Structure formats: structure tokens, C-alpha cells
Amino acid sequence: MTTDMIRADDATDARMVESLVLRGDISGLGPQDRVRYYVQMCKQLGLNPSAQPFTFLRLNGKEVLYAGRGCTDQLARI
């Protein structure tokens, strides 16, 4: 891995943190960042991402990751 790739990942992480934590909005994330965020959430919760546990929704002018029935069913089994 080159230092340019490391810096790019750091910049991506900073954008994700800013968008998610400071604004509570994921609309500023690009497609790759959305996938990365989705998969990270699944890993943290022990969920199978291919079962589509989350949906991207726009609520109150912000785009958020919404836990659907697939999420609740998997969490109940855990």
C-alpha cells in the first residue's frame, strides 16, 4: 500500500466522520464510501450485508441508514 492510498483512506475517513457525526447525514458520501459504511455497520453488529439489513432513506432533509426488518430479524437471532 502506498502512502497516497493511506492518505486517501484517511481523507475518506475524515469525510465520513464529518458527514455522519457532525451532520447526521450520509448524502455527502460517494458510492464507494456508502458501501464501505454499510459493510462496516454490518460487521460491527455481526450482520450479513447480503441480507440487506439496512436501507438508505431521506428523513427530515437528511439521508440516513435505516434498520429494516432484515436487521431486526438478524439481531433477534443473535
Side-chain angles (χ1 to χ4, degrees):
M1 184 179 301
T2 67
T3 56
D4 290 337
M5 291 173 74
I6 293 169
R7 283 190 210 125
D9 285 343
D10 290 345
T12 298
D13 289 343
R15 276 197 317 270
M16 286 175 64
V17 168
E18 178 186 1
S19 184
L20 297 169
V21 176
L22 299 179
R23 294 184 303 231
D25 187 6
I26 59 173
S27 63
L29 300 179
Q32 290 179 335
D33 293 334
R34 286 175 191 248
V35 170
R36 190 169 152 205
Y37 175 62
Y38 190 100
V39 171
Q40 283 178 340
M41 287 297 295
C42 289
K43 283 183 180 180
Q44 288 175 350
L45 297 170
L47 303 175
N48 178 0
S50 65
Q52 298 179 336
F54 298 106
T55 303
F56 293 103
L57 290 180
R58 182 163 294 280
L59 298 171
N60 300 323
K62 297 178 183 179
E63 194 161 357
V64 296
L65 196 61
Y66 180 80
R69 181 174 180 177
C71 180
T72 57
D73 288 348
Q74 288 186 61
L75 289 172
R77 276 185 253 139
I78 293 172

